[in-house]
């Protein structure tokens, strides 16, 4: 019988792709809780266009405990929660730290309380490679110690991980996995779902796409004097549908009781470090024309290089990346064009 999974933040970027992969696995029924504070309910129309399945959303702020708990009163058969809902903009977290601590940690506290109160068996938590801080030894594996958080957002992920671990004592009935993502990019291979970035995106791929389509006239490469092979920063980009697939495999792992501890940590990255200039070169080939970029100063707060070792996820979750950098860019480009045509 299919297990019912509650996806928080399912109208967002990674959550919506995970809904698609959960549905397409044939093993899970899904339910969504998203206040749409950083997304729109139309995302679920796109999920329906791709999967044929209408996903029910509870438009609830998870920090509102009474409203959130009503979801569990109405659904007494939830087997697991995948908790994506959070704010995620590094710069905004520096400007408004309390908003980040309140939302990201307040929501997680309610999720953890719900796990205990409603006897939820399994929990997956979205963490981030930002918990490692400015690491010196690469690639980063799960044993790499956390470094100093470079922004309040990263700090909420470090505290969030500690909150989950500490609940193992009072609530051993919930088994949890902490998934540390590197840089998720791209869109569904159909091009019919992707990231709705803010008007002024901060992340590399949405900016490249905006320059490629003419929405932005020009972009800047932030730093070309780093100690890397071409002087620009190195990151570990991975396709959003691969991240989504990892969540299905992570849920399988818990459901099949293959875990050896009540709370385990997994890196989710491609294992490949790619520079900004290499991404631009790949993007020019995919979109078929030159991109207007200039070489500029370093962006404050950027670390020179980070990429992950995801062999633990490959071995234990039986997960591997299906998509390469060209696929990431090609899908993002399809989505950019789909947006122009279909989303006003
Ligand atoms: P997103 O902003 O696209 O999605 C988050 C969703 O959560 C949004 O739909 C938003 O409306 C919802 N939400 C936020 N606070 C809420 C609340 N209190 N109640 C109900 N809904 C709420 O973000 P994403 O890129 O899909 O990221 C998902 C998770 O993955 C986040 O926890 C993020 O920190 C983490 N993560 C993201 C990245 C990345 O680069 N995208 C990298 C590492 C980790
Ligand atoms: C990638 C590279 C920039 C824009 C962030 C969060 C991290 C995680 C993933 C959530 C960097 C360079 C960018 C531009 C550029 N998110 N760049 N010109 O900073 O690696 O990671 O998202 O957990 O916590 O910090 O991602 O996409 O912003 O930048 O040269 O216009 O592209 O300097 O080297 P980042 P990004």
């Amino acid at each position: 019988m299919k297990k019912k999974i509650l996806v928080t933040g399912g109208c967002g970027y990674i959550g919506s792709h995970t809904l698609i992969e959960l549905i397409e696995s044939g093993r899970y029924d899904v339910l969504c809780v998203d206040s749409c504070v950083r997304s729109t309910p139309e995302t679920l129309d796109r999920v329906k266009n791709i999967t044929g399945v209408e996903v029910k959303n509870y438009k609830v702020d998870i920090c509102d405990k009474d409203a959130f708990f009503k979801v569990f009163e109405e659904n007494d058969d939830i087997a697991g929660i995948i908790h994506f809902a959070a704010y995620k903009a590094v710069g905004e977290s520096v400007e408004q730290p309390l908003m980040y601590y309140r939302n990201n940690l307040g929501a997680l506290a309610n999720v953890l309380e719900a796990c205990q109160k409603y006897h939820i068996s399994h929990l997956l938590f979205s963490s981030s490679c930002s918990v490692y801080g400015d690491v010196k030894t690469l690639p980063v594996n799960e044993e790499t110690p956390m470094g100093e958080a470079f922004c309040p957002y990263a700090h909420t992920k470090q505290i969030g991980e500690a909150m989950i671990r500490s609940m193992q004592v009072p609530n051993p009935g919930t088994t949890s996995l902490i998934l540390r993502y590197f840089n998720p990019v791209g869109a569904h291979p159909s091009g019919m779902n992707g990231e709705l970035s803010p008007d002024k995106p901060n992340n590399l791929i949405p900016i490249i796409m905006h320059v490629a389509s003419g929405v932005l006239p020009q972009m800047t490469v932030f730093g070309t004097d780093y100690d890397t092979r071409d002087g620009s920063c190195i990151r570990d980009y991975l396709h959003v549908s691969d991240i989504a697939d990892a969540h299905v495999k992570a849920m399988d792992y818990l459901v099949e009781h293959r875990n050896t501890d009540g709370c385990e940590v997994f890196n989710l990255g491609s294992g490949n470090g790619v520079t900004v200039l290499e991404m631009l070169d790949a993007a020019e080939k995919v979109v078929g024309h030159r991109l207007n970029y200039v070489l500029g100063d370093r962006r404050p707060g950027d670390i020179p290089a980070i990429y992950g070792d995801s062999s633990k996820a490959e071995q234990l979750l039986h997960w591997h990346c299906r998509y390469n950098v060209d696929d990431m860019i090609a899908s993002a480009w399809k989505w950019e064009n789909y947006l122009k045509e279909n989303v006003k």
Side-chain angles (χ1 to χ4, degrees), residues 303-316:
I303 57 172
I306 186 165
Y307 54 94
D309 172 354
S310 298
S311 52
K312 184 178 172 190
E314 286 169 12
Q315 281 160 23
L316 297 181

Side-chain angles (χ1 to χ4, degrees), residues 8-16 33-40 43 58-64 83-89 102-104 106-107 125-130 153 156-157 179-185 195-196 203 240 243 247:
T8 77
C11 296
Y13 176 45
I14 307 173
S16 59
V33 176
D34 197 313
S35 63
C36 294
V37 60
R38 291 290 157 98
S39 56
T40 65
T43 307
Y58 288 85
K59 199 165 181 292
V60 160
D61 180 347
I62 297 163
C63 296
D64 177 347
H83 181 47
F84 291 105
Y87 295 150
K88 63 165 182 181
R102 236 179 236 131
N103 190 57
N104 294 4
F125 175 65
S126 301
S127 189
S128 160
C129 66
S130 60
Y153 164 72
T156 67
K157 294 299 180 189
L179 304 176
R180 293 177 179 157
Y181 318 152
F182 284 72
N183 288 50
V185 298
E195 183 169 22
L196 279 180
N203 296 115
V240 66
I243 282 257
H247 288 75

Side-chain angles (χ1 to χ4, degrees), residues 11 30 33 38-39 67 91 93 129 138 201 210 224 256-257 279:
C11 296
V30 293
V33 176
R38 291 290 157 98
S39 56
S93 81
C129 66
L138 295 169
H210 279 15
T224 50
E256 293 163 10
H257 304 291
M279 284 305 262

Side-chain angles (χ1 to χ4, degrees), residues 312-328:
K312 184 178 172 190
E314 286 169 12
Q315 281 160 23
L316 297 181
L317 304 183
H318 312 308
W319 171 75
H320 66 276
C321 288
R322 299 164 294 180
Y323 302 108
N324 62 24
V325 164
D326 288 348
D327 300 323
M328 297 173 207

Side-chain angles (χ1 to χ4, degrees), residues 88 90 127-130 150 153 157 181-184 202-205 207 219-222 233-235 237 276 299 302-303:
K88 63 165 182 181
V90 169
S127 189
S128 160
C129 66
S130 60
F150 52 81
Y153 164 72
K157 294 299 180 189
Y181 318 152
F182 284 72
N183 288 50
N202 298 305
N203 296 115
L204 183 64
I205 291 294
I207 290 174
M219 63 175 286
T220 303
V221 175
F222 294 141
C233 288
I234 291 180
R235 295 290 183 272
Y237 301 93
V276 176
R299 182 172 69 175
D302 269 342
I303 57 172

Side-chain angles (χ1 to χ4, degrees), residues 235-306:
R235 295 290 183 272
D236 183 341
Y237 301 93
L238 78 163
H239 196 288
V240 66
S241 293
D242 279 333
I243 282 257
D245 176 49
H247 288 75
V248 180
K249 297 198 156 87
M251 194 51 84
D252 292 343
Y253 178 78
L254 291 181
V255 166
E256 293 163 10
H257 304 291
R258 285 187 277 129
N259 55 306
T260 50
D261 194 9
C263 177
E264 295 177 16
V265 180
F266 287 89
N267 278 345
L268 295 179
S270 71
N272 297 319
V274 180
T275 71
V276 176
L277 289 169
E278 287 165 352
M279 284 305 262
L280 280 161
D281 189 43
E284 287 183 338
K285 291 194 178 98
V286 169
V287 306
H289 59 84
R290 298 305 300 262
L291 297 174
N292 188 13
Y293 64 85
V294 293
L295 306 180
D297 293 339
R298 294 180 176 199
R299 182 172 69 175
D302 269 342
I303 57 172
I306 186 165

Side-chain angles (χ1 to χ4, degrees), residues 106-120:
L108 177 60
N110 288 343
V111 166
L112 289 169
E113 193 174 329
C115 284
Q116 185 169 27
K117 182 167 177 181
Y118 297 102
H119 309 291
I120 306 298

